[in-house]
Amino acid sequence: MRSNSPDARRRFIAASLVDAVGNGIYVPLTMLFVHALTGQSLTAVGTGLTLAGIGALAAVPAVGVLIDRHGGKHVYTGALALRAIAFALYPLATSYPAFLGVALTVAVAMWASAPSQQALIGDMAEGADRDRLLAWNRSLRNGGMGFGALAAAAMLAVGDGGYLASALALAGAFAVAAVLVALMPVTAKTPKAIERPASGYRTVLADRRYRRLTAANFLIAFGYSAQAIALPVFLTRDADLPDALAGVVFAVNTALVAGLGVPVGRLMARFRRGSGAALGTAVFAVSFAAFAFLPALDGTAAVVAVLATAVLYTAGELIHSAPSESLAVHAAPDHLRGRYLSFYQLSWSLCRTLAPMLLGLLLDAGTWQLWAALSASVLIGGAMLLRADRAPVRPAPESVLAA
């Protein structure tokens, strides 16, 4: 059944916020966090996290099957509970096999969160109401990530004791979030048709439109990855700007996405989803071209140009993210939503796995090659989105889009 009850939405929002804050604390400091808690060397930690990421990537298709069989609510509850258990066990994972087991558990739970969360939204709402809930979730993710990053900075000031306290606090917070989701009055449709051999991932792979949509997202995802992986190196090494400016750029991006995600989502709901998402990729490409010219500037002009380009980049993110995510969720049929969204999640996961290596090679190639490659990648992805957007999307009624 669909659940539009305020209580269900409040529980979902609270759980989603905890999820985002946890990511904000853990993701930026993963290496230091694990090193401080387990005592493993940084080389051992890096190797173990890579192996865990590959293992989690292989588990994503199984997550889709679980969502279709048991519903997004139950899988999201399980993902949150797994993270609670893993963070509680991290301080005890002093042997390498124990560390690998905990790291794999965290990685699987993190990869499972996105498709199960989106599937839960699909079970909770339909049409423009679903778009609105997706927009709120995006804003929560960005606001929570920003708050978590601030908490991570405070944790660094405390030292090793701060890491231990944070691990236990995260374990408790994820446990509470799991209970909140488990108590939500939402029941997914789980028709028996999904058990037939003709269904399952063969149906997903046979869907040419969804394959194109997923491939487009893989290409565009490199544009998102550039901010965290490539931009700080480019600004400090190639543009010769202060190290702190990369943090300012991240803060500007986080604040704008968190504050403007919902209103921009309302605006983009008036247009065809594929066309709106493609427009966002064009803005992305313009911002990448602007970044390429930054090394030619210096002083105040360079700082102003960086901030202006960061705002332009954020505009591309805002314009693209709302319709692209809605397109992925709406294009997935109810009875196979888990498999479809897990297949789509692979585009993000594979990009995050490959991005450090590929973007690093481009950074070493020269000062403009990175931005030329990123511009080409997002523009090709945008062109593919235009082809994927065949069915017209009705503008959402004013009554639904109103705050």
Side-chain angles (χ1 to χ4, degrees):
M1 69 176 181
R2 307 289 180 190
S3 176
N4 293 305
S5 72
D7 181 61
R9 298 200 174 205
R10 281 194 297 267
R11 292 175 188 273
F12 173 78
I13 287 172
S16 180
L17 184 59
V18 170
D19 192 351
V21 172
N23 284 335
I25 293 174
Y26 179 70
V27 172
L29 300 176
T30 300
M31 290 283 287
L32 292 175
F33 186 92
V34 176
H35 171 68
L37 291 176
T38 66
Q40 302 293 331
S41 69
L42 290 176
T43 300
V45 169
T47 302
L49 291 174
T50 299
L51 293 173
I54 294 172
L57 190 65
V60 170
V63 171
V65 175
L66 290 173
I67 292 172
D68 287 332
R69 289 181 179 173
H70 305 290
K73 183 183 86 168
H74 295 298
V75 177
Y76 189 37
T77 300
L80 291 168
L82 277 178
R83 294 178 77 179
I85 294 169
F87 280 113
L89 292 177
Y90 245 139
L92 304 177
T94 53
S95 70
Y96 200 65
F99 154 62
L100 287 177
V102 173
L104 178 61
T105 302
V106 172
V108 169
M110 290 181 69
W111 287 145
S113 291
S116 59
Q117 193 181 59
Q118 291 171 343
L120 174 56
I121 291 174
D123 291 333
M124 292 173 65
E126 292 181 310
D129 196 34
R130 181 184 294 172
D131 290 338
R132 185 181 177 209
L133 193 53
L134 286 167
W136 273 107
N137 190 49
R138 281 190 301 273
S139 293
L140 286 170
R141 283 204 308 263
N142 282 277
M145 282 286 291
F147 182 82
L150 291 175
M155 182 176 66
L156 278 177
V158 175
D160 290 350
Y163 290 110
L164 177 59
S166 296
L168 297 178
L170 285 173
F174 281 121
V176 171
V179 172
L180 288 172
V181 176
L183 296 178
M184 287 176 59
V186 178
T187 303
K189 297 177 182 178
T190 54
K192 295 181 180 179
I194 64 173
E195 301 297 335
R196 294 202 300 261
S199 292
Y201 279 107
R202 279 182 289 182
T203 300
V204 181
L205 294 174
D207 190 331
R208 182 180 301 176
R209 181 191 180 206
Y210 211 83
R211 291 204 314 268
R212 183 181 296 123
L213 177 63
T214 303
N217 191 66
F218 171 72
L219 294 173
I220 297 165
F222 284 99
Y224 284 84
S225 299
Q227 179 179 241
I229 296 173
L231 187 58
V233 176
F234 176 81
L235 291 178
T236 56
R237 187 195 68 180
D238 299 329
D240 197 25
L241 291 167
D243 294 353
L245 194 58
V248 174
V249 169
F250 176 79
V252 169
N253 173 265
T254 300
L256 289 176
V257 173
L260 299 178
V262 173
V264 173
R266 290 191 205 132
L267 176 63
M268 298 309 299
R270 300 175 182 273
F271 304 95
R272 291 168 63 110
R273 295 183 178 97
S275 301
L279 174 62
T281 66
V283 178
F284 263 146
V286 173
S287 73
F288 294 149
F291 276 125
F293 286 98
L294 289 178
L297 304 175
D298 55 24
T300 304
V303 173
V304 172
V306 167
L307 295 177
T309 306
V311 171
L312 184 63
Y313 170 91
T314 303
E317 180 178 346
L318 286 165
I319 294 170
H320 168 266
S321 62
S324 66
E325 186 176 20
S326 295
L327 184 60
V329 176
H330 283 274
D334 285 350
H335 70 291
L336 289 175
R337 184 180 293 125
R339 287 172 171 87
Y340 269 77
L341 292 177
S342 293
F343 180 69
Y344 187 78
Q345 174 64 28
L346 283 174
S347 63
W348 287 110
S349 304
L350 187 58
C351 173
R352 289 167 184 163
T353 301
L354 297 176
M357 177 184 68
L358 295 179
L359 295 181
L361 290 173
L362 289 168
L363 279 168
D364 286 340
T367 58
W368 61 269
Q369 285 87 343
L370 168 71
W371 305 112
L374 287 174
S375 296
S377 183
V378 297
L379 287 175
I380 293 171
M384 295 171 70
L385 285 176
L386 287 174
R387 293 190 62 192
D389 189 16
R390 294 174 179 172
V393 176
R394 299 176 183 175
E398 290 292 332
S399 60
V400 175
L401 294 177

